[in-house]
Amino acid sequence: MPPTPDDERRCPGEKYGISEAVCRARIARHYPKCKKCKWRDAAVAEDPEPETPPVDLDAVFKAYDIRGLADTQITRDLAWKVGYGTAQHVAGRLPDGANLQEQWIVVGRDMRDTSEPLAQAVAEGIRAVGVGALMVGEIETPAIYYAVGSMKALGGVQVTASHNPAAYNGFKITGPQCVPVSEGSGLEAIKEIVAGLDDTNAQPVGPLRQQDISSGYLLHVKKFAGEITPMTIALDASNGMASKWVPSLLREFIVDVEPLNLERGGRFNHEPNPLNEAALEDLKRRVRATGAACGICFDGDADRVGFVDETGESIGNDLITALLVPDVLKAEPGATIIYDLRSTRTLKEEIEKYGGVPHRERVGHSFMKHALREANAPFGGELSGHTYYRDNYWSDSAVITLLKVLTVMSEHPDESLSDLIAPLRRYWTTGEVNFEVEDKEATIQHLAKTFSDGTVDFLDGVTVEYDEWWFNCRPSNTEPLLRLTLEADTEAVKDEMYEKLIGILGEPSEH
């Protein structure tokens, strides 16, 4: 029977009345009891919900994750579908007869204003498949790998847009045993499921659990540290997730922190990207002003970290990887170490110098993690700042890298960080430079033909090596861009060859 104006709003089976605002909020969240409630049709008739325009899935499904503008592209509706699609995809790999309600998918989120409601929607979608949603709250992205790995969960979804501006959000997905779900490893399957979903009103039948993973996670990452001596460092958390645990963790090691941008209010004082030199300016000034032993800058979801030395000079992440090589190979002689093909020649030389096996790999975390497993490699690093550890569930961790760098610095108390890095600065590099190119494949083939007298390979884009210099030029997965990295024995050769390549690629893009 329809309600009368004098009726008190009350959910079916509940003793107490609710306000109109609470009623409408529950309807908007697809509260299970709303389906059988006489107030539902009345509320919808009074104020029908505007239709949500369809999201262009091709625009938000990227090579490694799902990202876009919050509220218009990354909506609660899409979040529900991503949760549902993820659960259906990973549950499809279970043996026949498996009890879905005994399986869990971990759901975490970063500090963005839109992340909490999106995480709730993801959980509801997961539970609609019958799988349990394990909510671990506001965490850094590497912590979700720990949760999935340590709990032997079916998978994980982290709500984050990493280093993108505050108006963005998205989802990073991992599967059983922390195997990444990316393009070529399941993300297309989830996209197909999402595309086929019309109704997001399915009842969440799977269990829901909240869990604080802080103590276990911190015990885990501390295992990677050696003896760290007291020192002062400058920490820029980029108003991101690094401020949750990193400052207190450093204090445990008697490391004094000069803090910058620790507030997690969902807004960024600078681009939360340690690869952007402009984002490091405040950190460099703080290091010089305080005499800190080094400066560190995390990205928004704290899965990457960048370093500056005590003079305020930034350090390439391939050099940081090289810095850690001796300790890794001392602990495991003869081990394989993985690195991406943009990395300096120094890295390969250091691996060979200390008796390791260098393994050059394509750019991207799915390729790096796969190579790590294939080679049973204890360690790997990318120029982007992602560093990977076998004993961290084959996954990347910025905070582990920070602890390892501080360990190396403590092992050499008479040398500054710039002293330790100086022998590794053997070559001159352009860094990674972007060029806007419409026909990427044709340009790559043209480069290969032009420089065919060098050693050419096509592992990722095109790489050409000569005795005195080399370059890699690879395509962006999502934009009409080619990304060039060039390194040479001398500055003069670097400049000469760079000008020659600009003659083919055009002027660098600011994008």
Side-chain angles (χ1 to χ4, degrees):
M1 188 170 74
T4 69
D6 294 330
D7 281 351
E8 181 182 35
R9 291 179 188 253
R10 185 179 300 172
C11 283
E14 294 187 3
K15 296 180 180 180
Y16 304 104
I18 58 174
S19 69
E20 181 181 345
V22 170
C23 177
R24 291 181 184 280
R26 288 184 174 182
I27 291 170
R29 294 201 308 270
H30 309 297
Y31 194 61
K33 292 183 179 181
C34 293
K35 287 187 174 183
K36 300 178 181 179
C37 179
K38 64 183 180 181
W39 282 103
R40 176 178 175 80
D41 291 337
V44 171
E46 292 167 11
D47 186 16
E49 292 184 37
E51 288 189 14
T52 303
V55 174
D56 180 359
L57 299 184
D58 291 336
V60 298
F61 274 75
K62 312 293 185 180
Y64 304 115
D65 58 11
I66 304 163
R67 270 178 295 120
L69 286 165
D71 299 327
T72 57
Q73 293 179 306
I74 305 298
T75 62
R76 280 182 54 86
D77 183 76
L78 178 64
W80 191 98
K81 292 178 179 180
V82 166
Y84 188 97
T86 298
Q88 193 173 87
H89 173 67
V90 295
R93 301 178 178 182
L94 291 170
D96 292 341
N99 186 343
L100 291 184
Q101 295 201 358
E102 293 179 353
Q103 304 294 328
W104 296 90
I105 294 177
V106 182
V107 181
R109 57 183 168 85
D110 69 12
M111 66 292 137
R112 294 165 191 266
D113 293 340
T114 54
S115 291
E116 185 170 8
L118 289 172
Q120 291 171 352
V122 167
E124 289 172 8
I126 290 168
R127 296 172 63 210
V129 177
V131 176
L134 178 60
M135 309 294 285
V136 294
E138 197 176 270
I139 60 168
E140 57 190 52
T141 292
I144 207 158
Y145 306 137
Y146 161 78
V148 171
S150 64
M151 298 177 191
K152 297 182 172 56
L154 192 58
V157 180
Q158 172 76 344
V159 179
T160 182
S162 186
H163 62 276
N164 285 108
Y168 286 74
N169 219 321
F171 314 98
K172 292 184 177 181
I173 303 173
T174 187
Q177 301 177 7
C178 296
V179 174
V181 176
S182 303
E183 190 175 76
S185 59
L187 199 56
E188 301 99 322
I190 293 173
K191 180 182 177 182
E192 187 175 345
I193 295 169
V194 168
L197 287 171
D198 293 322
D199 182 13
T200 60
N201 296 321
Q203 186 173 350
V205 294
L208 177 68
R209 195 170 90 212
Q210 311 279 339
Q211 186 160 334
D212 183 354
I213 63 171
S214 299
S215 59
Y217 177 61
L218 292 174
L219 284 171
H220 170 70
V221 298
K222 284 190 287 188
K223 292 187 301 185
F224 291 84
E227 293 293 327
I228 296 176
T229 56
M231 67 179 81
T232 298
I233 67 173
L235 164 65
D236 188 344
S238 299
N239 302 110
M241 286 312 307
S243 66
K244 178 169 183 175
W245 287 312
V246 175
S248 58
L249 179 63
L250 291 173
R251 284 193 288 271
E252 287 190 44
F253 290 98
I254 322 179
V255 173
D256 290 331
V257 172
E258 285 287 334
L260 292 91
N261 302 314
L262 298 191
E263 305 81 11
R264 297 196 305 276
R267 297 291 180 267
F268 303 121
N269 292 330
H270 61 70
E271 182 186 354
N273 181 5
L275 290 187
N276 183 345
E277 284 292 323
L280 301 178
E281 288 306 313
D282 288 345
L283 179 64
K284 292 177 178 182
R285 281 192 289 269
R286 181 65 65 89
V287 167
R288 296 184 188 112
T290 61
C294 68
I296 55 175
C297 179
F298 285 85
D299 71 345
D301 64 333
D303 64 356
R304 293 186 297 133
V305 63
F307 292 82
V308 302
D309 66 24
E310 78 287 352
T311 72
E313 183 175 1
S314 57
I315 303 170
N317 291 305
D318 48 357
L319 296 182
I320 292 294
T321 302
L323 179 70
L324 300 182
V325 163
D327 275 12
V328 172
L329 293 175
K330 181 179 179 181
E332 193 167 329
T336 297
I337 292 178
I338 315 296
Y339 60 96
D340 84 70
L341 48 66
R342 300 167 298 175
S343 301
T344 174
R345 278 179 173 171
T346 296
L347 184 46
K348 178 184 178 183
E349 292 166 356
E350 290 295 291
I351 295 167
E352 292 175 335
K353 174 181 175 181
Y354 289 95
V357 179
H359 180 108
R360 176 173 165 269
E361 189 49 68
R362 291 183 64 179
V363 175
H365 79 117
S366 56
F367 301 112
M368 294 291 292
K369 290 176 179 178
H370 178 74
L372 213 70
R373 291 175 187 267
E374 286 285 298
N376 191 33
F379 177 54
E382 283 190 275
L383 189 63
S384 61
H386 288 285
T387 37
Y388 305 87
Y389 299 89
R390 178 189 60 207
D391 298 336
N392 182 48
Y393 306 100
W394 309 97
S395 297
D396 45 315
S397 173
V399 70
I400 289 175
T401 296
L402 168 59
L403 294 177
K404 284 190 164 292
V405 169
L406 297 182
T407 298
V408 171
M409 292 172 65
S410 299
E411 291 169 349
H412 301 85
D414 296 329
E415 296 180 82
S416 64
L417 182 55
S418 63
D419 292 334
L420 295 172
I421 293 294
L424 304 175
R425 295 189 187 274
R426 299 170 195 161
Y427 302 104
W428 295 82
T429 180
T430 60
E432 192 169 59
V433 185
N434 290 335
F435 296 84
E436 291 188 21
V437 177
E438 286 301 328
D439 194 338
K440 294 181 284 189
E441 182 57 33
T443 304
I444 284 172
Q445 293 301 324
H446 179 55
L447 289 171
K449 184 177 180 180
T450 302
F451 298 96
S452 59
D453 57 332
T455 302
V456 181
D457 75 66
F458 298 95
L459 176 62
D460 191 349
V462 61
T463 301
V464 181
E465 294 191 69
Y466 297 90
D467 289 341
E468 292 185 321
W469 71 288
W470 65 271
F471 75 88
N472 168 263
C473 191
R474 64 186 188 89
S476 164
N477 286 305
T478 57
E479 300 170 286
L481 295 176
L482 287 177
R483 308 189 192 280
L484 172 72
T485 304
L486 183 152
E487 185 178 66
D489 291 357
T490 66
E491 186 176 18
V493 172
K494 181 207 74 171
D495 291 344
E496 179 186 353
M497 295 301 106
Y498 184 48
E499 287 299 319
K500 188 171 183 178
L501 281 160
I502 285 178
I504 297 171
L505 298 172
E507 288 301 315
S509 169
E510 295 182 1
H511 187 58

